[in-house]
Amino acid sequence: MVLQVESASVAVLALGAAVAVAFCWYGIGELRLANRILRSRPDSVLDTTDGGRIELRGTARPVDDGRRCRAPLSDTPCLAYEYEIERYSSSKNGSNWSTIDADEGYVPFLLEDDSGNVLIEPPGADLRLETDNRITVDAGTEPPSTIARFIEDTDAIDDQATGSDRGILDRLTDSDRRFTERLLVPDEEVHVLGTARYDTTVSSAPGQVNAAVGVDEAAYADSRWLRLRHALFGDPFIISDSTERRLGLRAGAQGLLTLGIGALAAVIAVSWAL
């Protein structure tokens, strides 16, 4: 019996330690990001040809007039989007919104400042976009036509949300729904932190420098060790339409909150085990 209690205590301590380390690691990373954004000034587009870590702020431009994607919930032409579909549920234990589907999309675009423009390659980016559209649809009502069309055309949502042959629109009439969309549109101010590389093949637009900004190549290295090291210690790749101050303060608040959760997890685990 004593052995079982000790084993349970060790398991709780191990779980608490794992949770605490994960949350604290993420929190420290967000605090470092906040410090970097709030204390530094953005680089010039001309600096991207030197390669390495870069922070830019400028105006988002399409590579050409036809190079855009369409946001699935509003059918808006844009350069990048995020969306989330949530369902409201309630029980005797409380109520909450739960995510039933979320995704993002993007196309390569140009970031332009006073010195020129540079190609931004979004794959692998952490999109931190402001909310442009949020629609709440009450139970028993249909969503707007663009949203309804997207849901009916997306089999993955049907499978995840229903687990049956009924369509998601049929199932969701029993609960409130919330549809959120975040967009980066042409001519909008954009803030990018990433890794620049010198590349003579990407320059095609007037004023464009021979460089591109994207995720560090270590993220896709053949070596698992290099990929792990990048995941743990590598520079972030962030695309945001927030102001520098707002982006930095949000990262700082998220870091403090996550650190607090990690510390609380550690305290609870130790208290329970003892």
Side-chain angles (χ1 to χ4, degrees):
M1 183 65 179
V2 174
L3 182 59
Q4 290 179 347
V5 172
E6 291 179 349
S7 298
S9 298
V10 170
V12 170
L13 280 173
L15 178 60
V19 172
V21 168
F23 274 85
C24 289
W25 187 269
Y26 179 81
I28 291 171
E30 288 295 288
L31 290 176
R32 290 175 57 198
L33 175 63
N35 180 69
R36 175 181 169 184
I37 294 172
L38 295 174
R39 293 176 62 90
S40 65
R41 298 183 61 184
D43 301 298
S44 165
V45 161
L46 294 179
D47 295 328
T48 58
T49 56
D50 296 331
R53 185 172 70 175
I54 200 81
E55 179 180 355
L56 301 170
R57 185 162 187 85
T59 304
R61 308 286 192 195
V63 173
D64 55 61
D65 290 339
R67 199 76 179 272
R68 293 173 173 82
C69 54
R70 285 192 171 272
L73 301 185
S74 65
D75 201 35
T76 303
C78 59
L79 302 174
Y81 67 80
E82 300 176 291
Y83 76 81
E84 182 179 20
I85 301 175
E86 300 168 282
R87 180 172 55 203
Y88 186 79
S89 58
S90 60
S91 65
K92 62 180 181 180
N93 296 322
S95 58
N96 67 291
W97 288 96
S98 57
T99 300
I100 60 173
D101 190 52
D103 204 355
E104 62 185 30
Y106 39 71
V107 293
F109 64 90
L110 301 176
L111 183 149
E112 180 181 282
D113 65 11
D114 293 337
S115 66
N117 56 70
V118 65
L119 181 67
I120 307 298
E121 299 176 324
D126 177 5
L127 298 179
R128 302 193 181 192
L129 305 177
E130 298 284 344
T131 298
D132 289 273
N133 302 301
R134 173 169 286 167
I135 299 173
T136 300
V137 180
D138 295 334
T141 62
E142 292 293 324
S145 58
T146 55
I147 295 178
R149 189 181 310 117
F150 165 73
I151 293 174
E152 292 290 7
D153 292 341
T154 307
D155 294 337
I157 302 179
D158 285 342
D159 294 340
Q160 181 179 359
T162 67
S164 69
D165 293 333
R166 289 193 299 161
I168 189 172
L169 291 180
D170 297 330
R171 178 66 174 269
L172 287 181
T173 54
D174 298 333
S175 59
D176 294 346
R177 294 147 282 164
R178 188 164 64 189
F179 304 86
T180 302
E181 192 172 69
R182 306 175 183 90
L183 308 175
L184 175 65
V185 298
D187 302 326
E188 187 176 8
E189 288 295 300
V190 63
H191 200 97
V192 174
L193 294 89
T195 301
R197 74 173 194 280
Y198 181 75
D199 191 338
T200 59
T201 66
V202 303
S203 180
S204 59
Q208 186 175 348
V209 300
N210 294 320
V213 178
V215 69
D216 193 318
E217 293 181 353
Y220 303 112
D222 293 334
S223 169
R224 291 182 180 178
W225 164 246
L226 290 178
R227 295 198 303 271
L228 176 61
R229 187 175 66 177
H230 170 74
L232 294 176
F233 306 106
D235 290 324
F237 178 29
I238 294 172
I239 297 175
S240 174
D241 58 355
S242 300
T243 64
E244 290 176 68
R245 178 176 175 80
R246 190 176 183 87
L247 180 61
L249 291 178
R250 279 187 173 181
Q254 183 69 28
L256 290 174
L257 175 62
T258 310
L259 275 175
I261 294 174
L264 180 62
V267 169
I268 292 175
V270 171
S271 299
W272 193 93
L274 296 179

